Structures are given as structure tokens and as C-alpha cells.
Amino acid sequence: MFAAVQTPLVTSLASPTQNQPIVTVLSGHLDHAPAGDTVRLWYGNRQVKALLSIAGDFKMVIPGLGAATDASFSYARQRTRLYLSPGDQLHLTLDFGRFDETLKYTGRGAAANNYLAQMLWRFDAAHPDPGPEQQRTPTTTPAQMRSLTDAFRQRQRAFLATYAAEHPLAPTFQRQAALDIDLEWARLLLDYPAYHRYAAKQAAVLPATYYDFLQQLPRQQLNEQATREPVLRFLSAYGGRLLPDGPLPADPAEARRLYAIATADLGDHQARDWAMYQLLSFQLNDNVAAVVAAYPTFRAQNQDSTLARNLRQMLQAQLRLQPGQLAPAFTLLNHQGRPVSLRDFQGKVVYLDFWGTWCAPCRQEMPALTALARHFAGRDVVFISVAVNDPEDKWQRVLAAEQLTGLGQVQLRSPDSTMPSAYQVTAYPTYLLIGRDGRLRRVPAPRPAAGAETVAALEQALKE
């Protein structure tokens, strides 16, 4: 499953001393996996990588794990959730062609992770138990949607209860798993109005009590776990509750109104603050004036100064990326190992593309990007593609296989997120248009697949 992101109560295998830190290990065997890629594990803000052997084996020692935590394991565009505790000696096996179906764990920590794997397979990955998203239709009413989601939650709760009765799950993990079921239930209900508006081509008529389900969520747990992925996913969907009909108006009073709604729904603590932070962050690219208007309210109301500081920094950076501002300078190596700078193309129009070989939507745009380069061949337009967080060998193979180095296409690689961060890139692919004078013209620019719209934007930039 491409992605779209857990502690047993156990005793130590050996009593650690000050000179003998607890060691946490994840190993595994992947049958029929594609060769030549890297196994990756994310936990918190850390990443551990290991090469997959020709036989399909890997092993990684996980440093700095001081407490139980959610994690994410990925290989070759497949991904699954993990739950790791200090001292776990976890071993996974799977058949890559049936990744979610065959995923199994043994060793210390297996009980919680097998629960997560079975939940994914049973209720998400292949949908042997169809969920509300598979059952809803354009004619589904709010009452019917509530019935579907309630029944789905009950099936998930029953599975958790049965599994916990048969396997040694720690009470802390069971509470977290129960919360995740409730969060998915709430997310499905939050998504329904937007789905109906899109599928039925009209807004759903919601009863006045529709959003009362939010009062059933455990606020204390939400606040304690506000930065976990399942909670953040729910809080992201909550933005549809606050802005059901479109972008945030550039009116300070609107931010105060939304804060009042969020406080009534979620309380006045971290979950509310993260919900507002996500909502305003998502508005930054296309609606910066509204974020400017809302920021004083966010700063006054927010109880986490780190969030306020982060939003302020992103807002300041975005203001520097408005049309007419100078594009941030950069120098990166191209596919031949030569340094290339933005200033090298002064006097030409630059169509700047941020992508990755790991990004399926990016790869889907490549034929249209090549056609666009062919259309403007011989004119003062340069197409610069910056691959982000890609191993050089894999990047080079994709460039060669898809013939992406001709017709005015400049291929660069950013080994980390430093350069994309200067352009406030938070999603991939992202496209920008830079004029002959080095100033931003379109932020973001239309995608290559937009066809005539993109050609028109480039033609206009050539005239300016």
C-alpha cells in the first residue's frame, strides 16, 4: 500500500546497565521483492535505512528508542505501520506481491504488530470487509452514512476485543488501538459532506445534530496524542467541518469564528491547536492573504508557542515566494555531476519541477513534461526538474530509462529537503514558473498535464 501511517507490556530479556543500553532490532525477509532498493523505517523525526540483500533479507538496529512509538516501514513504494517498544526483537516476513495479505511478525513485539497488520488487511488494504467509503453512493443520506460508519466501527471494535483476548496486548496499546478505531470512524463522518458535494454535485443537507459525534471522542487522549499520525489524519479531515464551502476568507473575524467552533468540538488544548495549524498551513500556498489575516488570532489563542513560531516562519517564507519576488537561489549537481545554478538561466523562462522517483503522481506527469519541453524546444524556456530525497543510482537509472535529459530539460538532485524547503514545497509534484528576470511568475504553476493552460502560462512569461 503506497502511502497514505502500538506497546506490549513485556519484561526485559536482560537487565540493562548504564554500559549496556537496550537494543531494539527490526529484521525481516521479503519474498519476490524488487531488487536494488532500500528498506526504510521512520519513527518520530528519525529515519533508519538498510539495504535489502539479494536473498531478500535485511536487519536494522534502531537507535535512540526511549519509549514505545508508532513507526512506518517502507520498501519500493509499499508501506505499513509498526509499533515499536524499547528492546523489541521484531522479525517480519511477507510476499512482496501480496504485501499486506502476507505480512506477519515474530519475536518480541509481534503481538501488537500482527494486530496492526491484520487490521490493515481486514479493514483497509484489500477491503475484504467493505468499509463505508466502498459502500456509500451519491444518494447516501447523512443518516445512512452514520449507520454505515457505526456498523463499521462496531466490527473493528469486535475484532480488537477478540484479538486482545487471544494475544498479550498491553493495556496502553489497547487504549491507543481503540482510539484509532474511533478516529477513523470520525474521519469517515467528517469526509462525507465533501464526498457528497463532489459525487452528487450538490451540498448535503445535514441535520443540525450531524457533528455531535465529535463530542464522543476522548479529549484527553486526543490532546495527549495530538502529534500521532492517526490523530493528525483525523484533525486534517476536521478542516472540512470548519471550511465546508471553500477557502478561508481573508477576514480576521472568520478566524475567531472558526476558533469558537473548534473549541466547542475539541476543547481548548492541543488537538484544537493542531487542527487550526493544519487548516492554516494547507491554505498557505493558494490563500496566503487569509493566513495573514488569521495569524494574530492563531497566535493569541494558541497554547503551543512552537506551532505559532512554525506557522509564522512558514508564512514569512511564503510571503517571500509571492509572484514578483526573487526566486530563491540554488546550486545543485546535475546528472553529469556538474554544478548548476538558477542564475545560469538569467534571461530565460524557467519551469521548475520538484519531484521524486518514489512519487507515482510525479512519474505520471513525466510524459506530459517531455511533450511540453518538445513544444518549446529552441525557445528561451528551460525545464528544471529537481529530484528530492532520491538515491543517486536510482535517480540515474530512471533518467536513463525514461530519457529525461534532452530537449532543454535540466535534471538536478537535492539529496535532502533543504532546497525544496526554500521554496516551501510540501507536496509532490510541485511546479513553479520563474520569469526572465529571476522573479517568480506563477506559484504554483499549472502542471504539465494541464496542457493548454500550461502552454499559455509559459507563452505569457516569454512576453514579460
Side-chain angles (χ1 to χ4, degrees):
M1 164 175 190
F2 178 62
V5 135
Q6 327 163 144
T7 164
L9 187 59
V10 293
T11 57
S12 165
L13 296 177
S15 299
T17 67
Q18 290 182 347
N19 298 320
Q20 182 186 359
I22 295 176
V23 176
T24 306
V25 176
L26 174 65
S27 61
H29 176 78
L30 281 59
D31 279 329
H32 307 116
D37 215 330
T38 302
V39 174
R40 300 171 189 269
L41 180 78
W42 287 269
Y43 60 105
N45 59 359
R46 298 189 180 193
Q47 179 183 172
V48 180
K49 298 187 290 185
L51 292 176
L52 190 71
S53 74
I54 296 175
D57 299 307
F58 74 90
K59 181 178 180 179
M60 54 178 70
V61 177
I62 304 162
L65 191 66
T69 185
D70 292 305
S72 176
F73 170 86
S74 72
Y75 182 78
R77 295 165 57 187
Q78 293 281 0
R79 181 180 177 186
T80 193
R81 284 178 60 197
L82 286 173
Y83 184 77
L84 297 175
S85 296
D88 279 353
Q89 303 289 310
L90 195 62
H91 185 81
L92 70 84
T93 59
L94 58 84
D95 185 321
F96 194 82
R98 297 181 298 146
F99 192 100
D100 298 310
E101 179 185 4
T102 60
L103 177 60
K104 291 182 175 61
Y105 298 90
T106 56
R108 181 178 176 180
N113 286 285
N114 279 323
Y115 166 80
L116 292 175
Q118 291 180 38
M119 278 288 288
L120 177 66
W121 171 245
R122 181 182 294 263
F123 295 108
D124 188 1
H127 308 292
D129 184 345
E133 288 175 313
Q134 290 72 51
Q135 295 174 284
R136 65 190 181 185
T137 71
T139 62
T140 300
T141 67
Q144 291 169 335
M145 188 65 191
R146 179 61 185 264
S147 178
L148 289 172
T149 53
D150 284 353
F152 188 63
R153 178 173 67 158
Q154 187 55 43
R155 294 197 297 276
Q156 290 184 311
R157 285 176 165 179
F159 176 75
L160 173 59
T162 299
Y163 188 95
E166 298 173 352
H167 300 86
L169 294 180
T172 300
F173 177 80
Q174 291 187 53
R175 286 193 298 271
Q176 185 167 300
L179 173 64
D180 291 351
I181 290 172
D182 287 347
L183 290 172
E184 181 65 3
W185 167 76
R187 184 193 68 79
L188 291 165
L189 290 171
L190 288 168
D191 280 351
Y192 165 75
Y195 162 79
H196 188 277
R197 184 167 56 251
Y198 172 80
K201 310 303 181 186
Q202 61 181 7
V205 179
L206 301 176
T209 58
Y210 181 81
Y211 288 106
D212 286 358
F213 66 86
L214 293 167
Q215 302 301 320
Q216 298 183 36
L217 297 176
R219 291 187 178 183
Q220 182 175 347
Q221 273 188 281
L222 283 179
N223 291 313
E224 290 173 350
Q225 302 182 31
T227 58
R228 287 184 59 239
E229 182 175 336
V231 182
L232 291 175
R233 189 180 183 205
F234 155 74
L235 293 175
S236 178
Y238 179 77
R241 149 75 159 146
L242 298 178
L243 294 175
D245 300 318
L248 176 68
D251 180 356
E254 185 67 9
R256 293 192 290 271
R257 184 183 74 83
L258 297 185
Y259 251 102
I261 296 172
T263 301
D265 288 342
L266 305 173
D268 60 353
H269 300 293
Q270 282 198 53
R272 179 204 64 178
D273 295 339
W274 272 95
M276 293 298 297
Y277 175 77
Q278 289 199 110
L279 182 143
L280 294 176
S281 298
F282 293 156
Q283 298 280 317
L284 270 174
N285 281 345
D286 302 317
N287 196 14
V288 69
V291 182
V292 170
Y295 181 77
T297 298
F298 181 84
R299 181 67 188 89
Q301 295 285 342
N302 198 287
Q303 298 181 14
D304 183 346
S305 60
T306 301
L307 287 184
R309 182 167 57 251
N310 288 347
L311 184 61
R312 183 183 71 250
Q313 291 172 347
M314 288 192 297
L315 180 57
Q316 291 171 339
Q318 192 65 39
L319 289 171
R320 292 194 295 269
L321 289 175
Q322 294 305 293
Q325 300 292 321
L326 282 172
F330 61 83
T331 300
L332 297 170
L333 298 181
N334 69 6
H335 66 289
Q336 297 174 321
R338 298 173 181 169
V340 175
S341 300
L342 179 61
R343 62 176 175 270
D344 296 339
F345 305 104
Q346 194 81 10
K348 295 185 178 182
V349 171
V350 173
Y351 187 76
L352 183 59
D353 163 27
F354 291 93
W355 71 297
T357 63
W358 41 264
C359 166
C362 303
R363 301 283 288 271
Q364 291 167 3
E365 290 282 345
M366 285 302 174
L369 181 61
T370 298
L372 197 63
R374 185 178 298 114
H375 180 86
F376 283 93
R379 304 180 66 185
D380 285 343
V381 181
V382 178
F383 295 87
I384 300 179
S385 294
V386 179
V388 181
N389 289 325
D390 257 318
E392 183 172 4
D393 56 347
K394 184 181 179 184
W395 173 60
Q396 293 280 11
R397 288 198 306 271
V398 171
L399 294 184
E402 301 187 17
Q403 300 179 339
L404 300 176
T405 58
L407 296 171
Q409 292 178 275
V410 178
Q411 298 293 342
L412 307 178
R413 187 176 72 94
S414 178
D416 56 34
S417 299
T418 302
M419 184 266 184
S421 295
Y423 281 84
Q424 289 295 293
V425 174
T426 57
Y428 296 87
T430 289
Y431 303 91
L432 300 96
L433 189 55
I434 302 171
R436 296 176 184 272
D437 57 0
R439 295 183 181 275
L440 295 161
R441 287 290 178 269
R442 294 285 297 271
V443 184
R447 292 188 175 199
E453 180 187 0
T454 311
V455 170
L458 286 164
E459 292 286 4
Q460 181 62 36
L462 284 168
K463 296 175 184 177
E464 294 175 348

